[in-house]
Amino acid sequence: MRHIVFYDGECPLCSTVKIAVQKLDWFRRIHWIPVQIAEGSYKFHFLKNRDIYDKIQMLSSKGRLYEGFYTVRKILTALPLTFPFSLLFYLPYIDRLLSPLYMWISKNRYDWFGRKPL
């Protein structure tokens, strides 16, 4: 079973990152679904009441939900080329630094990169 990542398909930054990650996903461990498609689908009812537009979401292959910084960390861990780098994301207290950075980028992404129709 693969991880499922729910990303903002209208965000140029998010779409560009998705394309880059797909190129590194040699074993096809990650399946990508735009939140605009997943939203409202009963199949993805577990996304209801979650901040799906401001925090990237992941349903891991083991059924665990991740969001925001923790999704990014899990994605980096799943890819062979980025795995060594991902270990830095597990340092003590690194989430206290990188989670706010992630949110700052997320909150400003439309101002910086615009918005594209899905």
Side-chain angles (χ1 to χ4, degrees):
M1 187 166 161
R2 299 191 301 172
H3 303 298
I4 301 172
V5 174
F6 302 93
Y7 73 102
D8 183 353
E10 294 180 350
C11 167
L13 173 63
C14 306
S15 296
T16 301
V17 168
K18 177 197 94 150
I19 291 166
V21 170
Q22 282 179 315
K23 289 179 181 179
L24 298 174
D25 187 10
W26 304 329
F27 302 112
R28 302 290 177 241
R29 293 182 177 158
I30 301 171
H31 179 69
W32 298 81
I33 299 175
V35 294
Q36 290 82 0
I37 292 174
E39 185 178 42
S41 169
Y42 181 75
K43 183 177 180 180
F44 306 116
H45 65 279
F46 50 85
L47 294 174
K48 188 176 174 118
N49 300 323
R50 296 182 70 91
D51 192 2
I52 62 173
Y53 283 93
D54 287 333
K55 294 181 182 176
I56 189 170
Q57 307 286 319
M58 173 191 265
L59 178 63
S60 77
S61 60
K62 295 182 180 178
R64 183 167 178 204
L65 281 172
Y66 295 88
E67 68 179 9
F69 161 78
Y70 300 100
T71 295
V72 172
R73 182 168 73 178
K74 187 71 175 168
I75 289 170
L76 293 174
T77 304
L79 305 175
L81 197 60
T82 59
F83 177 78
F85 176 70
S86 75
L87 298 177
L88 296 172
F89 285 57
Y90 287 91
L91 290 173
Y93 306 109
I94 198 75
D95 57 337
R96 291 185 185 177
L97 174 67
L98 295 182
S99 284
L101 176 62
Y102 174 91
M103 287 308 301
W104 178 69
I105 293 169
S106 177
K107 295 289 185 190
N108 291 289
R109 70 189 191 276
Y110 293 132
D111 293 334
W112 298 339
F113 303 101
R115 189 177 219 143
K116 66 176 182 80
L118 184 61

